[in-house]
Amino acid sequence: MYKPTAEPTSPLPPAPASTFNFAQHLMALNAGRPNKTAFIDDVGTLSYGQLFERVQRMAASLQALGLRREERVLLLMHDSCDWPVCFLGALYAGVVPVAVNTLLTAHDYAYMLQHSRAQAVLVSGALLPTLRQAMAQGGHEAAAVVVSRPVGDLDDNAQDLEALIAAHAPMPQCAATGCDDPGFWLYSSGSTGRPKGATHTHANLYWTAELYGKPILGLSDKDICFSAAKLFFAYGLGNALTFPLSVGATVVLMAERPTPEATFKRWREQQPTVFFGAPTGFAGMLASPALPAKAQVALRLCSSAGEALPADIGERFTKHYGVEIIDGIGSTEMLHIYLSNQPGRVRYGTTGWPVPGYQLELRGEDGQAVADGEPGDLYIQGPSAALMYWGNRDKSRATFQGAWTHSGDKYVRNADGSYTYSGRSDDMLKVSGIYVSPFEVEATLVQHPAVLEAAVIGMTDEQGLTKTKAFVVLKAGHRTDEAALKTFVKERLAPYKYPRMIEFMSELPKTATGKIQRFKLRERDAAHTATEAAAQARS
């Protein structure tokens, strides 16, 4: 039987009352600051007073649409002031918002609609055509579709969010939800390629704020927070809603992609004090000729998650701005970060130390704890773990093992108690902070009429970031090129999933039984990279 080692832990903050509604909790915390700016988006601002009035009106609107306690509502929206209104409004009403990635395809949303059995959809107007395609493909027609700006043309089944909210008086009393009641869902893609619905409780949001947002980041009502990670991510949800609203801070929201130029624009104009990003984004910003000078920004702290932060990126950023990047790891299943560097205690190249309130273990293949310096599978114990994957008992049992959550990551514990990332336990790749299944990309490539076989691996670029690379075997007598195949994949999958490099081969390495040996491709690619580096050094 497995026996946990004595990982040091700290006493937990007081648990919330057994009857607990997170939206109501935030309202109580901010009752004394109705005129303080809560959110700034691309078109305007929302004070705390305006936010919570709209939250109560949104809750009443959902009830008027016929939604009952614990029924799901799909939340398919770009980041704007309407997103927290819809999310918190659903929580306040006891309805379960299912926040989904805005970068997916109609096929993905068709599955999510069926799987969640969402009774309504809250959608940005720009995404309405994709939603309509999803409903047509999946055969699941939500009872109501509520459209946020830009509204555009609406049919009989769609309503304008602004008009709906204005038509209903604030719901005076929140639903009497409990700490362990289902609060919301976030989808996480697994090795099968099918997204899994992680079911989180109302109290999970509370715990991430109490264990990470307040003590580790040290957020206060004087901060202005800006997250490159969008609200539909577990990481972004904490950065741009849970944490700042738990202390009365102000949040900058941005609907567009977080390019360096778009990020710099907010840094200069809104003067955020805390920025939340990912390694790919930090690398792109440091490489940009438009990188603002230190005197142009008000940053006091930065956070990174989604993939391991290369030490060089952290060191160069700190040298330029005099600001630390607090690198950490969290997951959809644990809701936010449980292993992290800390202000004043940053060791670049590592993911830092366990967040107080969480217990970590590294286990070998035999299920026993491994010694320091040896890689092991990472398990986490803490109060923010999801209840389960909805409708997926096998995956739930594999991930949520009693009080422990199996992360699927491999780590090494160092002599000073910090942890260094060793990679995923399976073949999943993390590109720009988002998991990509190589099997899904391969299956798409072989749909091309010229492609016979394909294998996809992760390769590390010169900055230490993971990029996808495809090895392709063409059919006899067929021709195509790298650009054409990239376009082919982009047209069929979410944009971030296309392979950044494609190499054509006469055959793929395989076992005697015909299985592709991806490890040989990784070894081959690493050897080729080493040879090129040696040649450059000689020259």
Side-chain angles (χ1 to χ4, degrees), residues 195-279:
K196 303 185 293 292
T199 304
H200 279 284
T201 70
H202 279 261
N204 286 357
L205 294 161
Y206 167 87
W207 285 119
T208 58
E210 294 300 315
L211 297 179
Y212 191 78
K214 295 178 182 179
I216 302 298
L217 298 177
L219 294 181
S220 75
D221 60 358
K222 297 179 178 60
D223 279 311
I224 299 175
C225 299
F226 175 38
S227 175
K230 301 302 183 182
L231 282 161
F232 59 75
F233 287 118
Y235 180 48
L237 181 62
N239 304 340
L241 191 152
T242 309
F243 300 166
L245 266 59
S246 292
V247 297
T250 297
V251 182
V252 176
L253 296 177
M254 177 176 70
E256 64 183 297
R257 290 178 55 249
T259 62
E261 293 73 21
T263 300
F264 298 157
K265 182 175 186 290
R266 274 73 182 183
W267 282 7
R268 293 191 185 97
E269 293 180 357
Q270 307 300 344
Q271 293 289 291
T273 58
V274 182
F275 174 71
F276 302 86

Side-chain angles (χ1 to χ4, degrees), residues 139-385:
H140 179 89
E141 188 75 19
V145 175
V146 181
V147 184
S148 174
R149 59 191 178 198
V151 176
D153 296 328
L154 302 179
D155 57 27
D156 293 340
N157 192 37
Q159 302 183 49
D160 175 12
L161 175 65
E162 194 61 39
L164 184 67
I165 289 177
H168 293 89
M171 182 175 164
Q173 183 65 41
C174 70
T177 52
C179 289
D180 294 335
D181 283 359
F184 62 101
W185 290 15
L186 296 172
Y187 272 102
S188 173
S189 293
S191 57
T192 62
R194 277 293 194 184
K196 303 185 293 292
T199 304
H200 279 284
T201 70
H202 279 261
N204 286 357
L205 294 161
Y206 167 87
W207 285 119
T208 58
E210 294 300 315
L211 297 179
Y212 191 78
K214 295 178 182 179
I216 302 298
L217 298 177
L219 294 181
S220 75
D221 60 358
K222 297 179 178 60
D223 279 311
I224 299 175
C225 299
F226 175 38
S227 175
K230 301 302 183 182
L231 282 161
F232 59 75
F233 287 118
Y235 180 48
L237 181 62
N239 304 340
L241 191 152
T242 309
F243 300 166
L245 266 59
S246 292
V247 297
T250 297
V251 182
V252 176
L253 296 177
M254 177 176 70
E256 64 183 297
R257 290 178 55 249
T259 62
E261 293 73 21
T263 300
F264 298 157
K265 182 175 186 290
R266 274 73 182 183
W267 282 7
R268 293 191 185 97
E269 293 180 357
Q270 307 300 344
Q271 293 289 291
T273 58
V274 182
F275 174 71
F276 302 86
T280 301
F282 285 113
M285 289 187 286
L286 287 170
S288 171
L291 183 70
K294 179 180 178 180
Q296 294 178 287
V297 304
L299 298 173
R300 71 166 183 83
L301 184 68
C302 289
S303 168
S304 180
E307 56 186 330
L309 179 74
D312 177 66
I313 293 176
E315 290 163 357
R316 286 192 289 128
F317 190 92
T318 298
K319 181 178 180 180
H320 183 80
Y321 285 114
V323 170
E324 295 175 321
I325 299 179
I326 309 303
D327 184 33
I329 183 174
S331 67
T332 303
E333 291 78 8
M334 294 302 296
L335 189 55
H336 212 272
I337 291 172
Y338 47 79
L339 173 63
S340 180
N341 284 271
Q342 302 172 18
R345 192 189 186 196
V346 172
R347 183 183 168 192
Y348 286 129
T350 77
T351 316
W353 294 262
V355 171
Y358 292 93
Q359 187 173 354
L360 272 59
E361 289 288 346
L362 297 181
R363 304 179 188 176
E365 294 182 0
D366 60 0
Q368 299 301 306
V370 300
D372 285 0
E374 296 182 9
D377 291 320
L378 180 64
Y379 287 75
I380 314 101
Q381 182 178 153
S384 63

Side-chain angles (χ1 to χ4, degrees), residues 415-492:
D416 65 354
S418 64
Y419 287 71
T420 300
Y421 182 65
S422 297
R424 287 290 293 169
S425 300
D426 50 29
D427 282 330
M428 290 292 289
L429 305 173
K430 224 174 191 182
V431 180
S432 298
I434 308 174
Y435 282 127
V436 174
S437 168
F439 306 106
E440 184 181 20
V441 182
E442 292 163 6
T444 302
L445 281 167
V446 297
Q447 292 176 25
H448 191 283
V451 175
L452 175 65
E453 293 178 314
V456 172
I457 65 169
M459 59 170 290
T460 303
D461 66 13
E462 62 275 8
Q463 294 178 313
L465 301 177
T466 300
K467 306 294 183 184
T468 47
K469 179 175 182 178
F471 295 86
V472 172
V473 177
L474 297 180
K475 296 176 181 176
H478 287 72
R479 297 178 63 84
T480 187
D481 58 26
E482 184 174 359
L485 286 181
K486 287 181 178 179
T487 300
F488 183 82
V489 175
K490 287 180 182 179
E491 291 174 346
R492 288 159 178 79

Side-chain angles (χ1 to χ4, degrees), residues 74-78 100-107 109-110 113 120-137 140-161:
L74 202 74
L75 182 54
L76 175 58
M77 297 173 65
H78 291 130
V100 298
N101 190 331
T102 59
L103 302 174
L104 301 179
T105 65
H107 177 74
Y109 299 133
L113 283 165
V121 181
L122 306 174
V123 60
S124 292
L127 297 170
L128 184 58
T130 305
L131 173 66
R132 289 300 187 206
Q133 293 177 33
M135 288 184 170
Q137 289 180 19
H140 179 89
E141 188 75 19
V145 175
V146 181
V147 184
S148 174
R149 59 191 178 198
V151 176
D153 296 328
L154 302 179
D155 57 27
D156 293 340
N157 192 37
Q159 302 183 49
D160 175 12
L161 175 65

